[in-house]
Amino acid sequence: MELTSFRGALWGLVAFGVLITVLAAFTGLLLIVAVVVALAVLNLVYLPRTAARVGLRAGWLALILLPLMVAVGFIASAYEGVAWAAGLWIVAIGAPRLLGHQIARRLRERISSRTTVYYDVTRPTVHPAGRPLPPADGPGQGEYGL
């Protein structure tokens, strides 16, 4: 197969297009990661720290921010601003806090279920063959009555 200047230019353009596409995808992924990290820092660092300074719980401060953001949105651009402010609150504060609460609840349930020991007091302490278990310090210890 002979490589002409036209084919070489075409292959060069295809390679350049693939490179631009990969860079755009990588940049988009980096942008998404940056937004997720920024929201995590907002909800895990700044919001609780501000709530402690004001003397409120972080959940209450998050709820107080909703009408304040809506009011600022209304002042900025009427009803469209209200919609943007409410959407921003849901995306930046409401949904991450709800998701974090659900994850924390599930983790607490899993940890507590693994550390809890249940004793069944209704079951008799006999060997499955019907013979009683030997005393802990008596003869036959470890032999289970055999």
Side-chain angles (χ1 to χ4, degrees), residues 105-124:
R105 183 180 57 84
R106 285 186 182 169
L107 283 175
R108 264 188 259 117
E109 286 176 0
R110 285 186 134 189
I111 289 171
S112 68
S113 68
R114 289 184 182 186
T115 59
T116 305
V117 178
Y118 296 102
Y119 295 101
D120 189 6
V121 294
T122 60
R123 192 169 147 218

Side-chain angles (χ1 to χ4, degrees), residues 45-134:
V45 176
Y46 292 126
L47 195 65
R49 193 178 291 176
T50 305
R53 285 185 185 156
V54 176
L56 294 171
R57 293 177 52 192
W60 285 109
L61 181 62
L63 287 175
I64 290 171
L65 284 176
L66 177 61
L68 291 176
M69 289 175 67
V70 167
V72 169
F74 184 76
I75 292 170
S77 61
Y79 293 111
E80 188 177 330
V82 169
W84 276 101
L88 181 65
W89 183 87
I90 289 171
V91 169
I93 297 172
R97 292 194 67 79
L98 181 65
L99 184 65
H101 177 70
Q102 294 294 327
I103 290 172
R105 183 180 57 84
R106 285 186 182 169
L107 283 175
R108 264 188 259 117
E109 286 176 0
R110 285 186 134 189
I111 289 171
S112 68
S113 68
R114 289 184 182 186
T115 59
T116 305
V117 178
Y118 296 102
Y119 295 101
D120 189 6
V121 294
T122 60
R123 192 169 147 218
T125 55
V126 295
H127 190 269
R131 295 179 292 235
L133 294 173

